[in-house]
Amino acid sequence: MLVVEAKLKNGTPEQYQKLDEAIRTSQFVRNSCVRYWMDNKGTTRNDLQKLCAVLADNKETPWVNKLNSQARQSAADRAWQSISRFYHNCHAKIPGKKGFPRFKKHSRSVEYKLTGYKLSDDRRKIRFTDGFKAGEFDLWCSQKTLVYYSEQQIKRVRVVRRADGYYCQFLIDVERQEYHKPTGQITGIDLGLKEFYTDAQGNTVENPRYLRKSEKRLKKAQRRLSKKFRQGKKQSKNYHKQRIKVAKLHLKVSRQRKDKAIKDALALVQSNDLVVYEALKVRNLVKNRKLAKSISDASWYQFTEWLNYFAKIYRIVCVAVPPHFTSQDCSVCGTRVQKTLSTRTHQCPNCKTVLDRDHNAAINILKKGLQYLGNHLNVTVGQTETDPNALGESGLWILNGDIENLSCLVEQGISDSDRSRIPRHSVA
């Protein structure tokens, strides 16, 4: 599947208001499904689909009938996704909160399936044909145009409202594969706050700290917003103008993080045949109130998601290993050297190895990944593909015809990791 996003432009204020009404109606259907599930024990997904028709025929809610029938079904599917996720967390006995379904107050999207819209022949315009009659919009796409795909390949269309306008996301049924020229390089990366990541060869990528750089402007904009707020009264137009300015600043930071994560992950995948990273539980890490903002600003989770995505597209192996003691253990002799977060240099009292803390951790991460792959290959030689969800904490992709090449990489990596001098640790 491929997602192509285009901005909806050249619409009148009345047209955008119709899109808002469709979004609010989708939110109403979704919340009604959650309420129905709460009030009726044993509710199934099929029951929620039937509820959509009941809401459309209800004289007390005539606006629901304006929304396309498949868009109502998509809203019910969203409700069922939150319900099934809650069931799964309960059955898996995940500690902490289980994610009980909540009512949405500020939804920002509505999703159509195969009907409710019509694309022009040149794929540069879209017309919404449901009961709200939002009309025709121009599609502005900076990356790829829809002219390369047929209407039969478009499976979903989602309208998303953001601070700087309305966007249309097209879910296209196409298999994306990119050619990866084997480089013979393998690496492990240690994610951090001082440097965004450090690889096993000692190379580093800086941490841009986009939120920290924008904090001065954000604080100034938010102070102006708070001064315009009136408790218990209808907010003025100036308040909403300032609210949009604050939202745009946050949106810019979010886009900067995403762009950085995509570029770094793509460069890492294209230059290596094997990438090993630490499976950090960011949800637990942000509980540290002193480091929560910096950890969120680093956007580790988004980076690892794109890393796994590109690894699958370029058909290379990407492994996630537990991060336990990777910073404490010596990468040469294995001696555990206790360090605080402020200690940035690894000094082993046993073998006298002196390394940067993150470089030492990256080498340990690579060793863990090679050990895991060695054990995995001994058990599953000939397996064509492995689902990363079936391997617990590890996200491993082994594709057709790559077992022999992977075995050579593992053997080569193990022989290189046994070298006595760590500064020469590299893969030819």
Side-chain angles (χ1 to χ4, degrees):
M1 292 292 183
L2 181 67
V3 177
V4 176
E5 185 174 276
K7 190 170 185 178
L8 298 176
K9 302 191 71 175
N10 298 332
T12 63
E14 291 76 14
Q15 287 181 280
Y16 292 122
Q17 185 178 0
K18 295 295 183 180
L19 292 180
D20 284 335
E21 293 178 6
I23 292 173
R24 288 195 297 267
T25 304
S26 176
Q27 173 185 293
F28 173 79
V29 174
R30 190 260 180 200
N31 290 341
S32 300
C33 291
V34 173
R35 169 54 64 187
Y36 184 83
W37 169 76
M38 291 180 180
D39 296 338
N40 299 273
K41 186 177 180 180
T43 301
T44 63
R45 179 176 178 272
N46 192 32
D47 295 333
L48 298 184
Q49 296 289 335
K50 293 178 180 179
L51 179 64
C52 295
V54 175
L55 293 174
D57 295 336
N58 191 348
K59 295 182 180 180
E60 297 180 359
T61 58
W63 64 87
V64 177
N65 194 31
K66 292 183 179 181
L67 188 64
N68 180 264
S69 60
Q70 293 187 358
R72 296 195 297 264
Q73 294 174 2
S74 297
D77 290 338
R78 290 188 186 183
W80 183 252
Q81 285 177 0
S82 62
I83 294 170
S84 60
R85 188 185 304 113
F86 170 69
Y87 284 152
H88 175 267
N89 294 340
C90 291
H91 294 160
K93 297 182 179 180
I94 295 177
K97 296 182 178 180
K98 305 299 186 294
F100 190 85
R102 296 182 179 182
F103 298 111
K104 294 292 184 180
K105 187 176 181 181
H106 299 291
S107 294
R108 297 180 178 87
S109 63
V110 57
E111 186 176 279
Y112 298 88
K113 292 184 180 180
L114 300 177
T115 60
Y117 65 93
K118 179 65 176 178
L119 284 171
S120 62
D121 295 336
D122 57 358
R123 304 290 194 277
R124 295 185 181 275
K125 293 184 179 181
I126 185 172
R127 174 181 294 274
F128 295 97
T129 59
D130 58 352
F132 291 103
K133 299 180 180 179
E136 191 175 63
F137 298 87
D138 291 340
L139 294 173
W140 184 82
C141 183
S142 60
Q143 295 178 349
K144 292 184 178 181
T145 58
L146 297 171
V147 71
Y148 301 111
Y149 312 105
S150 63
E151 290 190 10
Q152 289 74 20
Q153 290 179 290
I154 300 176
K155 301 301 180 183
R156 296 288 178 100
V157 173
R158 176 177 293 181
V159 179
V160 182
R161 181 182 67 238
R162 296 198 178 102
D164 62 339
Y166 293 77
Y167 292 81
C168 202
Q169 296 176 344
F170 297 88
L171 181 64
I172 301 174
D173 185 12
V174 59
E175 185 178 0
R176 180 185 176 185
Q177 288 188 359
E178 301 288 347
Y179 172 73
H180 174 72
K181 183 179 180 180
T183 61
Q185 300 288 333
I186 63 175
T187 191
I189 59 172
D190 175 67
L191 301 172
L193 296 178
K194 181 182 177 183
E195 305 291 345
F196 182 65
Y197 76 76
T198 304
D199 63 17
Q201 287 74 33
N203 304 315
T204 60
V205 173
E206 67 172 346
N207 185 6
R209 298 180 176 88
Y210 293 118
L211 180 61
R212 295 288 184 181
K213 292 178 181 178
S214 303
E215 265 188 328
K216 187 176 181 179
R217 286 184 296 171
L218 274 169
K219 287 181 179 179
K220 185 176 180 180
Q222 287 172 344
R223 280 197 301 267
R224 290 181 176 178
L225 179 64
S226 63
K227 289 180 180 179
K228 291 179 172 59
F229 180 75
R230 298 292 179 264
Q231 182 70 32
K233 298 181 180 179
K234 184 179 179 180
Q235 305 305 321
S236 64
K237 291 184 178 180
N238 289 332
Y239 170 84
H240 290 291
K241 289 180 182 179
Q242 187 63 28
R243 177 180 57 83
I244 294 175
K245 290 181 180 180
V246 175
K248 286 183 178 180
L249 289 175
H250 283 289
L251 181 61
K252 181 180 178 180
V253 173
S254 175
R255 286 173 172 169
Q256 286 176 323
R257 289 175 182 165
K258 181 180 179 181
D259 182 69
K260 174 72 173 176
I262 292 176
K263 290 179 179 178
D264 287 346
L266 182 59
L268 198 62
V269 167
Q270 289 178 338
S271 58
N272 293 277
D273 297 335
L274 169 65
V275 178
V276 186
Y277 68 95
E278 50 186 346
L280 297 175
K281 295 184 178 180
V282 181
R283 180 183 296 181
N284 295 336
L285 293 175
V286 294
K287 293 179 181 179
N288 185 339
R289 62 184 180 87
K290 295 183 179 180
L291 297 176
K293 183 184 290 187
S294 297
I295 292 173
S296 299
D297 196 14
S299 190
W300 293 333
Y301 178 79
Q302 188 178 39
F303 169 73
T304 54
E305 287 292 297
W306 281 106
L307 187 63
N308 280 289
Y309 170 75
F310 285 123
K312 185 177 180 181
I313 296 300
Y314 283 85
R315 304 172 69 85
I316 74 163
V317 182
C318 186
V319 186
V321 297
H324 308 100
F325 304 110
T326 53
S327 297
Q328 309 293 336
D329 294 346
C330 179
S331 56
V332 176
C333 62
T335 303
R336 187 156 297 171
V337 184
Q338 298 295 333
K339 308 180 190 70
T340 61
L341 286 176
S342 59
T343 305
R344 306 310 306 171
T345 303
H346 168 74
Q347 297 179 344
C348 181
N350 185 27
C351 63
K352 308 303 180 183
T353 300
V354 179
L355 278 175
D356 181 77
R357 174 198 181 105
D358 296 336
H359 186 191
N360 177 74
I363 297 173
N364 286 330
I365 290 170
L366 177 59
K367 284 186 174 182
K368 277 190 174 184
L370 292 172
Q371 182 181 4
Y372 173 80
L373 284 174
N375 297 335
H376 181 79
L377 288 173
N378 291 334
V379 177
T380 59
V381 172
Q383 183 176 356
T384 58
E385 184 173 353
T386 303
D387 185 355
N389 298 325
L391 295 174
E393 293 184 353
S394 179
L396 169 66
W397 291 98
I398 300 178
L399 300 176
N400 299 335
D402 292 340
I403 292 293
E404 296 181 0
N405 297 331
L406 181 59
S407 301
C408 296
L409 283 175
V410 173
E411 293 174 0
Q412 183 180 4
I414 292 175
S415 63
D416 288 343
S417 64
D418 290 338
R419 296 176 183 176
S420 58
R421 296 185 62 85
I422 292 300
R424 296 180 182 177
H425 182 93
S426 62
V427 179

